[in-house]
Amino acid sequence: MFVVHIVASFFSKLQEDPTKKVDRFLYGMHLHDDQLSDISARFQAEMKKGLSVESNATAALKMLPTHVRSTPDGSEKGEFLALDLGGSRFKVLQVKVGEAMGIKKGGVEMVEKTYPIPKELPRGRGTELFDHVSESLKDFLHEKNITLEKKHPLAFTFSFPCEQSSLNQGLLLNWTKNFRAGGLQGKDVVQALRGAIDRIGGVDVEVLAMVNDTVATMMTCGLDDQHCEVGLIIGTGTNACYMEELRHIDLVEGDEGRMCVNTELGAFGDDGALKDYITEFDRDLDAASDNPGKQILEKMVGGMYLGELVRLVVLKMAKLGLLFTGHVSNALRTKGTVTTEHVAAMEEYKNGLNNTRDLLMDLDLIPTLDDCVAVQHVSTIVSFRSSNLVSAGLAAILTRMKQNRNLRTLRITVGVDGTVYKTHPQYPNRLHKVVRRLLPECHVRFVLSDSGSSKGAALVSAVAQRLASRRRQVDATLSLFRVSREQLQLVRTRMRTGLEAGLKSKGSSAVKMLPSFVYRTPDGSERGKYLALHLGETNFRALLVNFKRGLQHNSRLYNKIYTVPQEIKQGSGEELFDYMAQCIGDFLDYMGMKDARLPAGFTFSFPCEHTAVDKGTLVSWSKGFKATDCEGHDVVSMLREAIKRRNEFDLDVAAVVNDTVATMMSCAHEDPRCEIGLIIGTGCNVCYMEELQNVEKNQRKTDERGEGTTEREEEKTDDGGEGERTEGRAGTLKMCINTEWGGLGDDGSLDDIITPYDIEVDQNSLNPGRQRFEKLTSGLYLGEVVRQVLLDLTRGGLLFRGKVSEALKTPGIFRSNYLSHIESDRLALLQVRTILQQLGLGSSCDDSIIVKEVCGAVSRRAAQLCGAGMAAVVDKIRENRGLDHLNITVGVDGTLYKLHPHLSGILQETVRDLAPQCTVTFLPSEEGSGKGAALIAAVARQKLEM
C-alpha cells in the first residue's frame, strides 16, 4: 500500500491529463528517431552476421535463402494448385496465371476454399496435421470438379522458419504462432506433405515450390509492380524478405544474380540486441509465452502479442491505483482477454473511446472517461512502438539494398500483408511516415497484397517454370558456341593443312602464308634513331625509337596517335596516304626533326604480298578499311608518293611489315626465344619463323622476277646475311611468314562450327565470305556476334521483356571492349546493368546474367579457336626442327588479349592440351607495332651496311 500511495502522489498533479500520466508511465516505449536509427544499425549488423557462413549459426537473424531468384515479369503462365498453411485456417486454391489460361497477360484468376484447422492439430502429431491438409486438398479437387486424370503442379505456402536447399525442399527449424505439431522439427516439410498425399491417395501432384508467406506476398505485389523486391508481413507474426545479391549469401553456391532472403525478422533481439529497449511488460509477456527467449521482436510487434501487452500495462496501472480507482477484475487478470482486434478498435478515429469503454466494461470494470482516455493512449503507445520497430527493421533492409547496388537513391516497392497492417486504422500511415523519415533518400512505395500468401506461392511456381524454360532455351542457343575437344583437334588439323598449303608454289590456300622478307630476329646490337609508323584498325601512330649504344635491349620511345576518320578509311587511297603523310609531318614538327632524313619502318596491319622487305602489295583490306585504289598496289610506293606530294620532309622507308611481325620482333628484342607473333585485337593473326627451304612460293617469285639471290645462295651467306640458323637441324635458314590465318574457313572448312549468328555477321560485313576465322576470333566482330545473339534471344522473349529496342537493332553498338568489362570477375551485375543502360538496353538482374553468359560463350570460343590454331603453328615448328620437345615464346599484342579477363588463360590452356610436346610462353608486347617496325628497319640497315 505504501508503494501505491507514493505512485498516486507522484501523479496527483497530472490527474487532469490522463495521456501525460500514461506517457510518464510508459516512457520506455517511446522511441525517438536517434533510437530507431540505432536499432536499424544493429539490425544491419545482424543481417550481415546471418548471411555469413562463419557466423550464421550464432546469428539471431537466420537470413534464410529461399531459392527464389526472380520476381514476376508478367509473362508467367500456367495452372497451379496452392496450399496455404500458416495460421488458424488453411486454404486450398486453384490459380490460373497468364494468357495461356485465357486470361490477359499478367492476369491471375483464383478459386479458393478455406478449411478450419481443428484446435488439437497445431499441437498434435505432425502426420495428423498434414493428413488434414491432404484430405482438404482432395476435397477441394472433388468439389471444384478438377480432373484427377493428370498431374497437377502444386505450390505450398508454409509460414514457418525453414532452411531450404532448393525451391521444393525445406527443413523446419522451429514452430511459431502457437503451432507445436510433433515430429516435424528438423524434417523436410515438403516430404511430409508428399507422404500425407500418398497416404490419402487419389491425388496426383508435383510440389514445385515451398515458400514463406512473406515471400509469397512479395511475389504477388511484384506481378503488378516490377519495383517490388521486398515483402513484409505484420499480422499474427511479423517477418520480412528481400532480394539480396547472391554474392553475399554464403549459404548458397554462386555469385551471379539475386535471391530472395527470408530474414525471419521476428527473431531479432533473441541474442540480446534489444535488451536496452525491452520493458518489464515485454519481459513478463515473454516469460509467460510458449517459447521464452525466442522471437523477441515479434513479441514486441506482432498481432498475437499487442493485445496482451496492453492488458499487462493496464493491469499494472490498475494495481498501482492509476486506473479504475485501483480495482482489478478477474477478467483483467486473465491472459488473452485483450486482443489485437481490441487494440485496433480502441484506436478508431471516431468510435475509439466508445470501443474502449465497451471493452473495459466487458472486462467487468467501471471506467471513468479519464480511464477510457488513458487505456486508449496505452493502446496507442503499444501499437506505435510496434510500427516504429518494424520501420527500423525495414529501414535496415532498404539501406542494405541501396548500398549493395551502390545507389544514391533507391526506388523500391514493399509488398505488405497481415491483419495488423490491414485492420489497424493508424498503423499503415505511421509505418510509412517513419520509414520515409529514416530514409529520406529512398523513394518507398507500399502496396497492400491481394491474397498474397496464396497467389504468391503459385506465382513462385510460375516464375520457376518460366526461368526453367528460359534456361533451356538460352542453353540451347549457347550450346552452338561450345566447341568440343574433337572439334578443336579438327580445327588444329585444318589450320596445319592450311599452313602447309599456303607455303606451296602451286594451288590456292585460304591461309595465305605471305613471306615477310624478315630473315632474322634482333640480336641486341641495334643502335640509333628510327621512325616507326603504324596504320592499325582505328589509329595512325608515329613514333621515334632510339636504340641506345652500350645498353643492350634498352630503347626510348616518343609517339603521337592520330585517329583515322571513317570517311578517310572508306574514301580514296590517295586521301588515306595523304592523311598519313600529314600526320608524319605533324609528328616531325612536334619532335623538331623535320629536316632529318630518318630510316623508317612502316607497320601496315593488313594482308600484303612482299617481294622485298620494303615492298608490299596490299592483298585485301580488313578491319573496316575500304579505301579505293589500294588493293593490288605497293603501299610503300603509295606512302613515298604521298610524302613527295607534300614536299615538306623526306623519309627512308626501309621496311614494311605486318603488325604481327612487328610484335614478334619487339618481343624477340626482350626474349631471344620469341619466334612467333600473335595479335588478338580488332583483327587476329599470327606470324612465325619458318624454315626457308619450305617456302616454295618465295622461290617461285624470285625465279619469276629473275632477280635477287636464290635459296641455295642465301644458305651460303655469313651471319650478316639474311638467313638465320636455328636449333634443331643444323644449317637451316628461316624467314618470318605472315600466315594471315584469319582467312581459314574461307573455303568452307569451318562450316561445321559456324553458327547462324556468325553467318549474319559475315553477310553484313564489308567483306562477306572472307576472313571467316578472323570473324570468329577478333575484336572487330565478337561484339557484333554477341549483339546478334541478344537480338535473337530478345525476339524470342528471353531477354529485355521481349522488347527489341532501337539500340539493339543498331549494328556495331555492342563493341568488343564491352565483353572485357562485362566478363570481369570484379564487376558486379549492377555495373553490368549500367553498361547495358548506357547502350539503351534497360535490363533486369536476370537479363544481365544472360548477357554475361552470352559474352562468355562467344569469347571462350574465340580463345579456344586461337589456341587450336596456335597448337598447329608450334607443332609445325617442332616437327620442322626434328625436336621431341619445343620451348618457344610467343610475342602477343592486341587489346582483346590484354584486356579480356579470361581469354588469355583459356587460349593458353587450349595450347597446352592440343600441343603437349611444346612448352609455350606468352610474352605480352609493350610497344609491338612501333618498336618492332623500328627494329626491322634497324636489321635491314645493318644488312645494307655490311
Side-chain angles (χ1 to χ4, degrees), residues 47 357 448 469 515 534 587 722 864 890 946:
M47 290 172 71
R357 184 192 62 199
L448 183 62
S469 174
H534 178 209
F587 179 70
E722 292 177 331
Q864 289 177 313
V890 179
M946 289 181 173

Side-chain angles (χ1 to χ4, degrees), residues 347-408:
E347 294 185 59
E348 286 184 10
Y349 181 67
K350 291 183 178 179
N351 299 317
L353 273 179
N354 289 335
N355 293 337
T356 304
R357 184 192 62 199
D358 292 344
L359 168 64
L360 295 176
M361 293 182 69
D362 289 343
L363 294 175
D364 300 326
L365 298 166
I366 304 174
T368 64
L369 177 60
D370 281 356
D371 289 334
C372 292
V373 170
V375 172
Q376 183 188 48
H377 197 52
V378 169
S379 177
T380 298
I381 291 174
V382 169
S383 64
F384 215 132
R385 184 186 68 158
S386 169
S387 64
N388 279 341
L389 288 170
V390 173
S391 298
L394 185 56
I397 291 170
L398 299 181
T399 298
R400 179 174 177 83
M401 294 178 75
K402 181 170 72 73
Q403 291 172 348
N404 279 349
R405 302 176 188 189
N406 196 28
L407 299 173
R408 291 183 179 178

Side-chain angles (χ1 to χ4, degrees), residues 50-65:
L51 288 168
S52 170
V53 69
E54 287 85 8
S55 52
N56 175 268
T58 59
L61 294 178
K62 289 305 177 186
M63 306 297 287
L64 302 171

Side-chain angles (χ1 to χ4, degrees), residues 703-719:
D703 291 344
E704 288 173 354
R705 293 195 315 272
E707 59 184 24
T709 56
T710 66
E711 178 184 324
R712 295 300 173 191
E713 287 172 334
E714 288 185 14
E715 287 181 6
K716 297 175 183 178
T717 62
D718 59 19
D719 291 342

Side-chain angles (χ1 to χ4, degrees), residues 70 198 563 632 938:
S70 178
D198 289 344
T563 301

Side-chain angles (χ1 to χ4, degrees), residues 232 234 384 386-388 390-392 394-395 398 414-417 421-422 424-440 442-448:
L232 177 64
I234 314 169
F384 215 132
S386 169
S387 64
N388 279 341
V390 173
S391 298
L394 185 56
L398 299 181
V414 180
V416 197
D417 204 354
Y421 187 89
K422 286 181 174 179
H424 192 288
Q426 311 297 331
Y427 203 100
N429 285 336
R430 293 171 182 167
L431 177 74
H432 302 169
K433 286 180 180 178
V434 175
V435 169
R436 288 166 181 154
R437 200 167 67 237
L438 292 176
L439 295 174
C442 293
H443 304 289
V444 187
R445 179 173 181 244
F446 292 85
V447 174
L448 183 62

